[in-house]
Amino acid sequence: MNKYFIAISFLLSLIGCSDNEHNHKDKVVPEIFSSDNEYLTNLNLMKGHLWVGVELYKENYLENAKRHINKMKETNNGFEIAEKISKSLSKQATVISVDGELKDLSHVIDKDCSIKIFTSKDKEGLEVIRHDTAHVLAMAVQELFPKTQVTIGPAIDNGFYYDFDLPRTLTLEDLPLLEKRMREIISGQHKFIRSEANHKQALKQFELQKYKLELIETIAQTSTITGNDGENESDVISFYTHDTFTDLCRGPHLDHTGEINPKALKLLSVAGAYWRGDSNNQMLQRSYGTIWNTPKALRKYLWTIEEAKKRDHRKLGAQLGLFHFSADVGPGLPLFTPAGETV
């Protein structure tokens, strides 16, 4: 409130007085006052009016603040909170943090808590976009290969991936087809709908997906979580549906697929990966992709990748005649030339 006190002091200076009444002797008494006493009486009266005005302003300010807080308390999800804060935030919001835990914007807030709203410009918001894009990729792959077994598809640094057990090998030639279908799904603005189920319902939902069934059994183990009462209890089994695709997932997710920028999407490569990182398990096919909040950010990232390829030591070493590779020895073992040995 310091600005209000500064304003009052300024007003008082205009009438030839200061906050210290004892300094009035140094002031020239205006001619409209017949004596010092009359001057001081009117001075105190003017001060009183000013302070009453400030107190009334403060009271009104606090009342408005209380009404705003009460409105916030009445709000019951992230969408409404973002809307109350600003129109622009409501359009850009992607996810909300409730007491440090990321939630869908549709999450109902029914108690006092600390919240923070993220957009695609934030790391948290971009991670949600990347995870959602992995779901879109899984839908596209299942449509292209109906017998596909889906596994997991997390967000990673600079993008996302999804692991599949496919009826045939996924090739680089498949990526443009998948990208096209992904953009079609994105443009459909399909809602991400969260559902929660018990163990039996979850098994029924994914009865044809063996990897999902294994994950459900892991989630449903009674040793997964310790409750507030100290007893072991099962974790929540949740899944998200957009259009015709349903995936086992904790979330959070965007409101709909249309919040993904199709012009900032690129599928990059395919690779092999063991289920759950265990070489004793099935070898899966992993498709890597990247997604950004703007096409410009995508172009910058792709440029960075190309520049890194130019400086790849395996490529430079061979070009400079320092070493070469032989299939007879093994693809990962460089054979140094005399020049390479000297270096």
Side-chain angles (χ1 to χ4, degrees), residues 7-187:
I8 290 168
S9 297
F10 175 72
L11 289 172
L12 290 174
S13 69
L14 292 179
I15 61 174
C17 62
S18 68
D19 291 334
N20 188 347
E21 295 180 12
H22 298 291
N23 291 334
H24 76 278
K25 293 180 180 179
D26 298 328
K27 306 292 182 182
V28 177
V29 178
E31 294 181 357
I32 59 173
F33 300 113
S34 59
S35 66
D36 284 0
N37 288 336
E38 184 181 356
Y39 169 65
L40 288 175
T41 299
N42 282 276
L43 172 61
N44 289 328
L45 182 61
M46 283 185 284
K47 280 187 176 182
H49 285 318
L50 285 170
W51 283 111
V52 168
V54 169
E55 290 302 318
L56 288 174
Y57 183 89
K58 287 164 60 180
E59 183 178 343
N60 184 56
Y61 178 87
L62 292 173
E63 275 302 314
N64 287 335
K66 288 177 182 178
R67 280 196 293 270
H68 182 71
I69 291 171
N70 288 333
K71 283 183 180 180
M72 293 293 284
K73 287 183 177 180
E74 292 171 3
T75 302
N76 59 11
N77 66 42
F79 290 114
E80 294 172 353
I81 291 176
E83 178 77 19
K84 290 254 189 321
I85 295 173
S86 75
K87 292 288 185 181
S88 60
L89 179 61
S90 67
K91 294 178 181 179
Q92 299 177 39
T94 56
V95 67
I96 186 171
S97 169
V98 181
D99 288 335
E101 185 177 356
L102 292 180
K103 299 285 186 180
D104 303 328
L105 286 171
S106 60
H107 176 73
V108 175
I109 299 172
D110 54 6
K111 62 180 181 178
D112 290 341
C113 59
S114 172
I115 65 168
K116 186 173 183 180
I117 297 175
F118 299 100
T119 72
S120 63
K121 296 178 181 179
D122 300 306
K123 175 185 176 183
E124 294 82 354
L126 192 53
E127 284 181 354
V128 172
I129 290 174
R130 287 169 173 166
H131 180 55
D132 284 19
T133 309
H135 278 234
V136 173
L137 169 61
M139 177 178 174
V141 170
Q142 272 201 327
E143 290 182 350
L144 186 61
F145 305 103
K147 295 182 180 180
T148 296
Q149 291 283 315
V150 294
T151 62
I152 59 172
I156 57 175
D157 289 342
N158 301 317
F160 60 92
Y161 71 78
Y162 210 112
D163 289 344
F164 305 99
D165 190 350
L166 293 165
R168 74 159 173 85
T169 301
L170 194 65
T171 67
L172 293 177
E173 287 69 30
D174 295 319
L175 299 187
L177 295 175
L178 291 172
E179 271 189 32
K180 180 181 178 181
R181 179 54 186 145
M182 289 175 70
R183 292 191 175 94
E184 293 172 350
I185 296 169
I186 290 169
S187 65

Side-chain angles (χ1 to χ4, degrees), residues 133 160 179 182-183 186 261-266 290-291 298:
T133 309
F160 60 92
E179 271 189 32
M182 289 175 70
R183 292 191 175 94
I186 290 169
N261 191 334
K263 296 181 179 179
L265 165 67
K266 181 70 176 177
T290 188
I291 182 72
L298 172 63

Side-chain angles (χ1 to χ4, degrees), residues 249-273:
C249 186
R250 282 180 177 271
H253 281 273
L254 301 170
D255 182 39
H256 57 81
T257 58
E259 295 184 46
I260 301 169
N261 191 334
K263 296 181 179 179
L265 165 67
K266 181 70 176 177
L267 293 182
L268 300 172
S269 61
V270 292

